[in-house]
Amino acid sequence: MTEAFKLGIVVPCYNEEEVLPETNKELTQIISNLVNENKITNDSKIVFVDDGSSDKTWSMIDEYSKTNDYASGVKLSRNFGHQGALLAGVTSASNSCDAVVTIDADLQDDVNAIPKMVDEFLNGSEVVYGVRNNRQTDTSFKRDTAEGFYKVMGWLGVKLVPDSADFRLMSQRACKVLLSYRETNLFLRGIVPMVGFKSAKVYYARKERFAGTSKYPLRKMLKLAINGITSFSIVPIKMIMQLGFLIVLISIGLLIYTIVQKIHGNVVTGWSSMMISIWALGGVQLICISVIGEYVGKIFNEVKHRPRFTIERDIYTEKTLKEENNEVK
């Protein structure tokens, strides 16, 4: 693609009133610069997605949509989570945009990487990943656990782009393919690489959060990691079967050992060994049941086919239709 195209920048927001003014300012400047360079069209938009915020986030988005030609918004009926909010924004924006960029509102992802993504798109790439070139802003614990997670996912056979979160550009065609995946248990970092098409990477330095507090504490990070593992691999189920065989082999060995000791008259009744065996086997069984339960729970959620998000108001679509009507007139 060589001519200017329409770009949509999707920004999921949950209680982001502290950082939103700066986010709106910086993204507006990025779009304005790209329009001036004739890389994107003047009807390109920022799509803020309010994920059931309890602060002034939506009222601020509504105000920006009135005062900023590039700003618009989508309001979800309640909190559907970060991945659901991203998908809602992509659903709205991909209807009329030639390409969609997704970026978090906290400004930790460098907005100056967006022009580089646009260049890669103009050069023919349909999926452009924003990839961190270092993890200096992370604590050592978060850095080590993140590296461990990517290694585990690779071992499980899940194709991820290391050090790439949800900062990416996707063509309209790639967005449509992404939306055809109907999972309720969303892990977009794992789904997007499955879309295929020509891809590229843009490297950037991740910054400290501009303002406010992180919406992804350790508990949510662990939940996301578990969701990613169980949504894309059945290796844990296979490991349970292998563990079962191992325990059976150990039991056979202990049975032979007990018979030999009985023949030699060396059997000593031991309460401690019996209790250790009971507790060990009981713990293994509970872990196995929990892993199986995680998969059964996912099946339970998937078969209900409930909507992954519900849009209460879509200013982006309203604004787009209004602009199209004005052009017709």
Side-chain angles (χ1 to χ4, degrees):
M1 181 178 288
T2 56
E3 60 182 25
F5 66 95
K6 183 176 180 180
L7 176 69
I9 302 179
V10 172
V11 188
C13 306
Y14 177 66
N15 293 337
E16 298 287 6
E17 64 178 2
E18 294 179 71
V19 73
L20 213 52
E22 186 66 20
T23 305
N24 178 60
K25 175 184 173 183
E26 292 197 17
L27 290 178
T28 298
Q29 186 62 54
I30 290 293
I31 287 187
S32 180
N33 291 342
L34 289 170
V35 169
N36 292 335
E37 293 171 10
N38 201 35
K39 291 182 178 180
I40 64 175
T41 57
N42 195 48
D43 58 347
S44 297
K45 291 287 185 290
I46 306 166
V47 186
F48 295 105
V49 183
D50 178 28
D51 187 25
S53 299
S54 57
D55 60 2
K56 298 178 181 178
T57 295
W58 176 248
S59 60
M60 294 172 70
I61 293 172
D62 191 23
E63 181 62 28
Y64 294 150
S65 68
K66 297 173 182 176
T67 57
N68 181 355
D69 291 337
Y70 296 131
S72 63
V74 172
K75 178 176 174 57
L76 302 186
S77 61
R78 62 174 177 82
N79 179 257
F80 285 88
H82 179 265
Q83 301 289 279
L86 272 177
L87 206 64
V90 170
T91 300
S92 291
S94 62
N95 287 327
S96 59
C97 293
D98 299 302
V100 175
V101 169
T102 57
I103 183 172
D104 289 343
D106 56 19
L107 295 179
Q108 286 189 278
D109 296 322
D110 188 2
V111 297
N112 293 308
I114 295 177
K116 298 176 184 177
M117 292 181 172
V118 167
D119 289 339
E120 291 290 349
F121 175 69
L122 291 172
N123 288 331
S125 295
E126 296 202 51
V127 181
V128 185
Y129 300 98
V131 181
R132 300 172 60 169
N133 56 18
N134 64 69
R135 284 186 169 272
Q136 294 178 355
T137 58
D138 289 347
T139 62
S140 58
F141 173 76
K142 187 173 182 179
R143 186 163 51 246
D144 293 341
T145 52
E147 291 175 356
F149 172 70
Y150 285 116
K151 288 180 181 179
V152 169
M153 294 297 281
W155 177 69
L156 293 175
V158 183
K159 294 183 178 180
L160 295 180
V161 179
D163 296 321
S164 174
D166 292 304
F167 183 30
R168 65 178 74 88
L169 178 148
M170 298 181 71
S171 69
Q172 185 182 59
R173 181 169 68 153
C175 287
K176 295 299 183 183
V177 174
L178 172 65
L179 295 174
S180 70
Y181 287 76
R182 305 307 303 170
E183 285 98 325
T184 299
N185 301 286
L186 291 170
F187 185 66
L188 296 179
R189 300 178 198 183
I191 299 176
V192 172
M194 297 172 64
V195 169
F197 302 130
K198 182 181 178 181
S199 65
K201 298 176 182 177
V202 168
Y203 293 89
Y204 68 97
R206 190 169 170 86
K207 299 179 290 186
E208 296 285 351
R209 184 181 175 87
F210 181 80
T213 57
S214 173
K215 304 305 183 296
Y216 256 94
L218 179 60
R219 177 178 59 83
K220 285 191 175 182
M221 291 298 294
L222 288 173
K223 183 178 179 181
L224 182 66
I226 293 172
N227 188 41
I229 292 172
T230 54
S231 293
F232 285 87
S233 176
I234 61 170
V235 170
I237 293 287
K238 293 180 179 179
M239 289 176 63
I240 289 175
M241 182 174 65
Q242 294 168 356
L243 179 62
F245 282 124
L246 177 62
I247 292 174
V248 169
L249 291 175
I250 294 173
S251 300
I252 292 173
L254 289 174
L255 177 62
I256 295 172
Y257 174 77
T258 302
I259 293 173
V260 171
Q261 293 300 313
K262 176 68 175 179
I263 293 174
H264 289 84
N266 296 326
V267 177
V268 178
T269 303
W271 179 84
S272 298
S273 60
M274 181 183 69
M275 292 304 295
I276 290 173
S277 299
I278 291 174
W279 280 100
L281 288 174
V284 169
Q285 289 172 342
L286 286 174
I287 291 173
C288 294
I289 292 171
S290 297
V291 173
I292 295 172
E294 182 72 22
Y295 282 92
V296 173
K298 287 195 179 314
I299 295 171
F300 175 70
N301 287 328
E302 294 290 347
V303 299
K304 289 185 289 186
H305 299 298
R306 290 180 178 174
R308 294 174 290 184
F309 54 85
T310 303
I311 295 177
E312 182 176 321
R313 189 182 174 195
D314 189 344
I315 295 177
Y316 170 76
T317 301
E318 295 172 7
K319 209 168 185 179
T320 301
L321 291 174
K322 185 177 179 180
E323 290 174 353
E324 290 177 352
N325 289 334
N326 290 335
E327 289 179 3
V328 171
K329 292 178 180 179

